[in-house]
Amino acid sequence: MSARPERGRRRILRRLPASGRAALAVVLLLWIVAACSPLLSERAGTIRLGERLAPPSAAHPFGTDDLGRDLFARVVCSTPISLAIGLVAAAVALGVGFAVGATAGWFGGAVDLALSRLIEVVLCFPVLFLLLALAAFLPSSPVTLTLAI
């Protein structure tokens, strides 16, 4: 009698290394937090001057800011936009990388060499300086942040 073969998700999860499973758990936790963020949206914007700069406590796990707004609620409410920016940035990077790699692989020869050298030149610059230059010349917006990432 043979054992039934493992099915889809279980087989994939078993093949993932521990670090991959941990990363998947963190991403799932962030998605759950993002889904729950509307529950705290009112609390995030409420100004309570009597509770200004309060230290972390049971009522305010991250404390409050200079206007008495709950920092934990603000962090939770910013999770969906952070996830969206990260997802779009990863998709853009994947698309650009795929296009450059496919072009270099398809044409080969001089095109491959030119694209390889262009990538090496871009990678020679420290990322922090490129981000500072982008921040100086482009307006501050989620689109700019996505492109910078």
Side-chain angles (χ1 to χ4, degrees), residues 103-119:
T103 303
W106 183 267
F107 291 106
V111 174
D112 182 18
L113 185 65
L115 287 174
S116 296
R117 296 303 167 252
L118 177 67
I119 290 169

Side-chain angles (χ1 to χ4, degrees), residues 19 33 43 132:
S19 59
V33 168
R43 186 174 170 189
L132 288 173

Side-chain angles (χ1 to χ4, degrees), residues 26-40 72 75-77 79-80 83:
V26 168
V27 170
L28 288 174
L29 177 67
L30 286 174
W31 280 102
I32 291 169
V33 168
C36 295
S37 68
L39 301 174
L40 294 175
F72 178 74
V75 167
V76 169
C77 287
T79 304
L83 285 175

Side-chain angles (χ1 to χ4, degrees), residues 67-141:
L67 295 176
R69 296 175 296 195
D70 186 14
L71 291 178
F72 178 74
R74 293 176 67 79
V75 167
V76 169
C77 287
S78 68
T79 304
I81 191 109
S82 298
L83 285 175
I85 287 172
L87 185 64
V88 171
V92 167
L94 180 68
V96 169
F98 179 79
V100 170
T103 303
W106 183 267
F107 291 106
V111 174
D112 182 18
L113 185 65
L115 287 174
S116 296
R117 296 303 167 252
L118 177 67
I119 290 169
E120 289 172 1
V121 167
V122 170
L123 290 176
C124 284
F125 291 104
V127 175
L128 180 61
F129 293 128
L130 291 174
L131 294 176
L132 288 173
L134 274 175
F137 293 112
L138 297 175
S140 178
S141 72

Side-chain angles (χ1 to χ4, degrees), residues 10 20 23 48 94 110 128 146:
R10 283 191 182 177
R48 295 183 183 103
L94 180 68
L128 180 61
T146 302

